Amino acid sequence: MDVLSLSRLQFAVTCMFHFIFVPLTLGISILVAWMETHYVRTGDGQYKRMAKFWGKLFLINFALGVVTGITMEFQFGMNWAEYSKYVGDIFGAPLAIEATVAFFLESVFIGVWIFGWDKVSKKVHLMSIWIVAIATNVSGLVIILANGWMQHPVGYVLRNGRAEMVDFPAVLTNTYGLLKFAHQITSAYTVGAFFVMGVSAYHLLHKHDNPKFFRSSFRIAATFGLVATLLVAFVGDQSALEVVKTQPAKFAAMESVWETQKGAPIHLFMLPDEEGGHNHYETIAIPHMLSFLATHEFDGEVRGLKSIPRDERPPVMPVFVSFRTMAGIGSYLILMALIGFVLSRKTGVLEKYPFFLKVMVFTIPVPYIANQLGWIVAEMGRQPWIVYGVLKTADGVSKAISTTQVLGSLVGFTLLYGFLGVIDIYLLAKYARLGPVDDQGTH
């Protein structure tokens, strides 16, 4: 492998590993803030214990997420120096906002939340967790807006051999970036909801001493999860419309469409043949459905891959498989969230369905997989561009590094991340199994 391939692999490993931590942080922070809000409003001590128990799991995940996120920014200077020189004027602004505003607020107020129990007023303490939750989400917003600019560049001019920003509000209101954020944030809320439901299901199966605690946790998460999964599907549909307009090659790869056509059908089963420029087989066609999904018109035009120069097409197979699998998982999660919502409405009903509870425990990693597949669709579907239509990935890699150097750092990062991953899973599993602490400080 050459420097370009290794650098792409290293950045993919870094991003995908970092994104194991991010969705849970985004999702569970809102749930913890909501639980504490209910405690402050009602004075019910159980909600305080819930905020503390789920908050501890949030903190473990948050700390490891920060460590993995820092190394990503170093790679822009190490592996992608040409890219940084070309777009640094634009890409640097969101990163600066993320570091100086969002991360600053998170760092300050998470300390208030950890150490402020019974030392500051209830309202001040509640405000601190909401600031942490909102700052965490704002952090995700500015990062995804930066990525959205790479997907659909706006508000810039090419001058002196580099992209220079001329309209910052256009970058902040980039439709592609905002839809991508909405899709991502609701996906993250789904991760948080299924994490809480899965851990609660584990304790209900194992007859924890306080089933009321986990029934309530499950019910809150099921409501949150049902809303989140439905929003993921809705925003995903809107995002697809934007992709059709701005990145037709990506959409064609997502659905393995080779010929431009109107009234295009969707095939439930097919297998792309990238070399041959067609599909090996196509079966169970739904007439006009692909055109409707792509344009919201049954006779709308869907652009095929053959209308795009071969050297500007993304790799079809990984994008196609990732998209189809992600969409299938999304449907499964909506169904499970709906069942969980219905069963959790009445006290004691959940325990009558142990098979469902077991399925919910094993469903904990499923939304994580969907999130990873979503990023594969977004990033591999953008290739061969690092900034769509402006700068190719091959032109963004650093010129002053060797294969040995990149390989060495790749191995180092992979080992470090593997170690952190083991720690994260061990700590989350340990404290999730222990359950909440009672008034005497024991589990």
Side-chain angles (χ1 to χ4, degrees), residues 267-341:
H267 294 88
L268 296 187
F269 299 100
M270 59 184 178
L271 185 65
D273 177 2
E274 201 159 347
E275 290 300 319
H278 60 87
N279 295 322
H280 281 300
Y281 67 87
E282 300 170 336
T283 184
I284 310 182
I286 304 175
H288 301 276
M289 184 52 70
L290 186 58
S291 283
F292 181 75
L293 293 175
T295 65
H296 282 189
E297 295 178 4
F298 285 108
D299 288 319
E301 182 177 280
V302 178
R303 193 173 168 187
L305 284 160
K306 288 184 177 177
S307 69
I308 297 160
R310 186 175 282 272
D311 65 349
E312 293 184 7
R313 298 177 192 169
V316 177
M317 184 62 85
V319 175
F320 171 78
V321 172
S322 298
F323 175 70
R324 289 270 173 136
T325 308
M326 179 188 68
I329 288 175
S331 301
Y332 167 77
L333 294 175
I334 291 174
L335 176 64
M336 296 305 290
L338 178 61
I339 296 173
F341 174 80

Side-chain angles (χ1 to χ4, degrees), residues 227-406:
V227 174
T229 52
L230 291 173
L231 286 174
V232 169
F234 173 74
V235 178
D237 172 68
Q238 298 300 308
S239 297
L241 296 176
E242 188 68 17
V243 170
V244 171
K245 288 191 293 185
T246 57
Q247 294 188 21
K250 177 188 287 184
F251 186 81
M254 287 161 59
E255 294 291 354
S256 191
V257 179
W258 298 94
E259 304 289 347
T260 299
Q261 50 192 305
K262 292 184 177 180
I266 194 168
H267 294 88
L268 296 187
F269 299 100
M270 59 184 178
L271 185 65
D273 177 2
E274 201 159 347
E275 290 300 319
H278 60 87
N279 295 322
H280 281 300
Y281 67 87
E282 300 170 336
T283 184
I284 310 182
I286 304 175
H288 301 276
M289 184 52 70
L290 186 58
S291 283
F292 181 75
L293 293 175
T295 65
H296 282 189
E297 295 178 4
F298 285 108
D299 288 319
E301 182 177 280
V302 178
R303 193 173 168 187
L305 284 160
K306 288 184 177 177
S307 69
I308 297 160
R310 186 175 282 272
D311 65 349
E312 293 184 7
R313 298 177 192 169
V316 177
M317 184 62 85
V319 175
F320 171 78
V321 172
S322 298
F323 175 70
R324 289 270 173 136
T325 308
M326 179 188 68
I329 288 175
S331 301
Y332 167 77
L333 294 175
I334 291 174
L335 176 64
M336 296 305 290
L338 178 61
I339 296 173
F341 174 80
V342 172
L343 295 182
S344 62
R345 292 301 93 187
K346 291 187 178 179
T347 302
V349 173
L350 275 170
E351 290 95 319
K352 295 179 181 177
Y353 296 90
F355 178 74
F356 172 74
L357 293 177
K358 288 179 184 175
V359 172
M360 290 304 289
V361 174
F362 287 105
T363 298
I364 290 176
V366 175
Y368 283 96
I369 296 170
N371 270 263
Q372 296 286 339
L373 292 173
W375 276 105
I376 291 174
V377 173
E379 300 309 304
M380 294 195 76
R382 189 184 62 202
Q383 298 304 315
W385 303 99
I386 193 168
V387 179
Y388 199 77
V390 176
L391 181 69
K392 287 194 171 180
T393 306
D395 298 324
V397 73
S398 299
K399 295 178 180 176
I401 54 176
S402 67
T403 303
T404 305
Q405 289 173 319
V406 184

Side-chain angles (χ1 to χ4, degrees), residues 82 84-89 156-166:
E82 296 303 316
S84 298
K85 283 193 292 186
Y86 198 84
V87 305
D89 187 52
Y156 75 101
V157 295
L158 294 178
R159 190 159 47 204
N160 301 320
R162 58 196 294 272
E164 296 182 3
M165 187 185 299
V166 294

Side-chain angles (χ1 to χ4, degrees), residues 6-51:
L6 286 169
S7 294
R8 289 183 63 190
L9 178 60
Q10 180 169 311
F11 201 75
V13 168
T14 309
C15 286
M16 294 180 78
F17 190 82
H18 178 56
F19 214 72
I20 292 173
F21 303 96
V22 172
L24 182 59
T25 296
L26 292 170
I28 204 169
S29 64
I30 298 293
L31 282 168
V32 171
W34 191 93
M35 290 167 182
E36 187 168 345
T37 300
H38 211 64
Y39 162 62
V40 172
R41 286 181 57 199
T42 65
D44 186 339
Q46 177 168 259
Y47 288 100
K48 180 180 180 180
R49 292 177 63 202
M50 288 169 67

